[in-house]
Amino acid sequence: MINGFAACLVPVGDSVWGICRSTRHCLLEFIHDRLMTDDSRHPDSGDPNVPVPKAVVSRLSLYLRELSQLIRDGRDTTSSTQLGERLGLTDAQIRKDLAYFGQFGYPGIGYRCDELVTEIRRILGTDRDWPVAIIGLGNLGTALIGHRGFAEQGFRVTAAFETDESKVGMTLGGVPVFHIDQLSEIVKKDGIRLGILAVPAKAAQSVAQRLVEADIEGILNFAPVTLSLPPTVSRVAVDLAIELEQLSFAVVNRLKNS
Amino acid sequence: MINGFAACLVPVGDSVWGICRSTRHCLLEFIHDRLMTDDSRHPDSGDPNVPVPKAVVSRLSLYLRELSQLIRDGRDTTSSTQLGERLGLTDAQIRKDLAYFGQFGYPGIGYRCDELVTEIRRILGTDRDWPVAIIGLGNLGTALIGHRGFAEQGFRVTAAFETDESKVGMTLGGVPVFHIDQLSEIVKKDGIRLGILAVPAKAAQSVAQRLVEADIEGILNFAPVTLSLPPTVSRVAVDLAIELEQLSFAVVNRLKNS
DNA sequence: TAGATTGTTAATCGATTAACAATC
DNA sequence: TAGATTGTTAATCGATTAACAATC
């Protein structure tokens, strides 16, 4: 779409030259991660030193999901207003959220869906494949091995771990089951960085410790306990019973709030 | 522990009588939900008209989980400081959260674990049994039928629903599998108020519609779509791929934030 | 051009924290 | 009593919203 960069330079001041927006998008692919020399940009826009609230990152995933749906529906572009309506958010919030990471839209046009998907994937780190380990093969762990949603976002379960000798050596959904003593070895071999912890509550802390020792960098914890982890290891917790409790509260208090 | 109420009245002003704290706890069981005549209390403390932030309710579940653990460990009482340390929260936040719902502690002592568990269960609505339906018996739905954590918090899966005729009529983990056409009928019969939606994304909205028509009051949605529901139906969404995306982001940005 | 929509600022709103009198 | 800890207020901090110039 762009034939040369020189043609796209536009004057923006006495002796300063800027670039038009459509050129910027192409250039970004060139200079991304290498030349962070765009000193003219607002310090809050895409500045890696501004801490990003967790809630913002969480909504980013929603934007990604909705954009993927829009693309499947054949849409080329969308706007913060349209996205907001579909997600129950204000347009201002969506633009503000994206501004933490850079400028991705076109005034008067909106956002190109495919471009924004690419950008959000890059921000979330899902522009690559993540080999993942599942530890614990009870009901939940076994189900997660074949979870379609993981594969669709680039998370590949390459190994499962158990203490139950009767399961070790099996292959479940194409995934080999190892004894947990082989954790370090397999993690190293497969380049696994993320672990999904689906063991009973009583075992969770000690198994988490073993994940840390195996140099796992992030743990998705399904056990209903607060893990004690070094700050070098990231964690996300999902307690399914708590989710139902939140629903219970919402139902019981529905009349009061509406 | 209390022999009579009269003995526990204490003077607090010219012609006003108050009650001591330990009596208050006993009295609360009497007057709870019936006599809201305690006009002397601060309007924000336990006032049902003050909207409760979602984040507060979410932490309430964490407090409940941690208190249950403390009780299992043999502790009688705890404090906001101790709870905070275990959960990575400030003591002030815990006291503030609880203040939305009432006064549950004893100055100088802390909180009686069993009492606070009872109170939080009542607040969350899990002081009763909830019959629950699971809709969709793929990997995840099937796993959730036997999920121990649900039963422990009083959520009983009494029925499962599928469109796949080969599964209808089966019994999985003691739970009968019905065709989704029987939804209204079984929901009515079992007194089911909550539904766990574990169907493929493409089917989620239309199945949700059927749940609404069956007068389900709350939906725990595992499908990676934003459901369009009437405001009379409560919803909680869990997207497992999104949780891994959050973990991915945390790992990729770990260096920047610490 | 007129209409649409962005990115950004400032104003608003809400949530967290610190501090402390009241209490046991 | 002295020490501990609550419930509550006020101060701080952070997140959301409204508004609008810049842009296509």
Side-chain angles (χ1 to χ4, degrees):
Chain A
M1 292 183 114
I2 305 288
N3 297 322
F5 295 143
C8 301
L9 291 176
V10 294
V12 294
D14 262 358
S15 56
V16 182
W17 290 77
I19 56 172
C20 67
R21 271 170 183 271
S22 46
T23 309
R24 194 199 67 222
H25 279 267
C26 296
L27 275 173
L28 276 175
E29 300 204 0
F30 270 76
I31 61 174
H32 165 236
D33 267 4
R34 293 184 236 179
L35 289 160
M36 292 305 283
T37 54
D38 184 7
D39 288 329
S40 65
R41 79 200 190 294
H42 182 271
D44 263 24
S45 184
D47 187 328
N49 294 321
V50 173
V52 180
K54 276 213 179 59
V56 171
V57 184
S58 181
R59 285 193 294 267
L60 234 42
S61 280
L62 292 180
Y63 304 158
L64 175 58
R65 201 175 73 179
E66 209 62 29
L67 286 161
S68 306
Q69 183 57 52
L70 284 164
I71 290 173
R72 277 194 296 273
D73 294 348
R75 300 284 321 241
D76 260 14
T77 64
T78 186
S79 66
S80 52
T81 307
Q82 182 179 47
L83 269 180
E85 273 166 10
R86 294 177 64 125
L87 290 165
L89 305 170
T90 65
D91 57 330
Q93 178 159 65
I94 291 174
R95 295 197 300 278
K96 193 92 209 296
D97 284 350
L98 294 173
Y100 276 97
F101 306 98
Q103 302 179 138
F104 310 119
Y106 303 90
I109 310 291
Y111 302 90
R112 289 187 52 93
C113 296
D114 57 352
E115 269 180 20
L116 194 49
V117 160
T118 300
E119 294 291 352
I120 295 180
R121 286 227 176 93
R122 180 177 56 74
I123 294 163
L124 292 174
T126 56
D127 54 348
R128 71 202 77 173
D129 258 31
W130 289 87
V132 172
I134 290 185
I135 302 92
L137 293 174
N139 284 337
L140 191 60
T142 307
L144 295 177
I145 284 184
H147 188 63
R148 291 294 241 101
F150 289 161
E152 281 164 15
Q153 300 306 320
F155 300 104
R156 284 185 301 111
V157 179
T158 66
F161 296 87
E162 250 292 344
T163 48
D164 184 347
E165 295 285 1
S166 74
K167 288 176 183 164
V168 172
M170 291 175 64
T171 299
L172 292 175
V175 175
V177 180
F178 301 97
H179 191 275
I180 200 165
D181 288 343
Q182 296 176 269
L183 193 66
S184 282
E185 173 196 342
I186 305 296
V187 162
K188 210 153 292 167
K189 183 172 80 66
D190 286 359
I192 292 168
R193 299 174 65 188
L194 308 181
I196 299 177
L197 192 55
V199 303
K202 272 175 292 187
Q205 180 59 51
S206 70
V207 173
Q209 191 54 44
R210 304 189 68 162
L211 287 172
V212 173
E213 284 156 13
D215 288 328
I216 284 272
E217 294 175 71
I219 295 177
L220 177 56
N221 175 34
F222 285 95
V225 292
T226 305
L227 294 179
S228 167
L229 295 175
T232 51
V233 177
S234 304
R235 92 202 66 187
V236 168
V238 178
D239 185 326
L240 299 179
I242 284 184
E243 304 295 346
L244 264 188
E245 286 171 8
Q246 303 301 298
L247 189 61
S248 160
F249 178 88
V251 165
V252 168
N253 294 278
R254 186 158 29 90
L255 300 174
K256 300 181 193 169
N257 298 331
S258 64
Chain B
M1 294 183 112
I2 303 290
N3 296 321
F5 294 144
C8 300
L9 290 175
V10 293
V12 295
D14 262 357
S15 55
V16 181
W17 290 76
I19 56 173
C20 67
R21 269 171 184 270
S22 46
T23 309
R24 194 198 70 220
H25 280 267
C26 295
L27 275 173
L28 276 175
E29 299 202 0
F30 269 75
I31 59 173
H32 165 238
D33 266 4
R34 293 185 234 176
L35 290 159
M36 292 304 282
T37 53
D38 183 8
D39 288 329
S40 64
R41 79 200 190 295
H42 183 272
D44 263 24
S45 184
D47 187 327
N49 294 321
V50 173
V52 180
K54 274 212 179 61
V56 170
V57 185
S58 181
R59 285 193 295 266
L60 234 42
S61 281
L62 293 179
Y63 304 158
L64 175 59
R65 203 176 72 181
E66 210 63 28
L67 286 162
S68 306
Q69 184 57 53
L70 284 164
I71 289 173
R72 278 194 295 273
D73 293 348
R75 300 285 320 244
D76 260 15
T77 64
T78 187
S79 66
S80 52
T81 307
Q82 182 179 47
L83 268 180
E85 273 166 10
R86 295 176 65 126
L87 290 166
L89 305 171
T90 65
D91 56 329
Q93 179 160 64
I94 291 173
R95 295 197 300 277
K96 192 92 211 295
D97 284 351
L98 294 174
Y100 277 98
F101 306 99
Q103 302 179 137
F104 310 120
Y106 303 89
I109 310 291
Y111 302 90
R112 291 187 52 92
C113 297
D114 57 352
E115 270 181 19
L116 195 49
V117 160
T118 301
E119 293 291 352
I120 296 180
R121 286 227 176 94
R122 180 177 57 74
I123 294 163
L124 292 174
T126 57
D127 55 347
R128 71 202 77 171
D129 258 30
W130 289 86
V132 171
I134 291 185
I135 301 91
L137 293 174
N139 284 336
L140 192 59
T142 307
L144 295 177
I145 284 184
H147 188 61
R148 292 293 241 101
F150 288 163
E152 280 163 17
Q153 299 307 321
F155 299 104
R156 287 186 299 111
V157 179
T158 66
F161 296 88
E162 250 292 344
T163 48
D164 182 348
E165 295 284 2
S166 74
K167 289 177 183 164
V168 173
M170 289 176 66
T171 299
L172 292 174
V175 175
V177 180
F178 300 97
H179 191 276
I180 200 164
D181 288 344
Q182 296 175 267
L183 192 66
S184 282
E185 173 196 343
I186 305 295
V187 162
K188 212 153 292 168
K189 183 172 81 67
D190 287 358
I192 293 168
R193 299 173 65 186
L194 307 180
I196 299 176
L197 193 56
V199 304
K202 271 175 293 187
Q205 180 58 53
S206 70
V207 174
Q209 190 55 43
R210 303 189 69 162
L211 287 172
V212 172
E213 284 157 11
D215 288 328
I216 284 272
E217 294 175 69
I219 295 176
L220 177 56
N221 176 34
F222 285 95
V225 292
T226 304
L227 294 180
S228 167
L229 294 175
T232 51
V233 176
S234 304
R235 92 200 69 187
V236 169
V238 177
D239 186 325
L240 298 179
I242 284 184
E243 304 295 345
L244 265 188
E245 287 171 7
Q246 303 300 297
L247 189 61
S248 160
F249 178 87
V251 165
V252 168
N253 294 278
R254 187 157 29 89
L255 300 174
K256 299 181 194 169
N257 299 330
S258 65

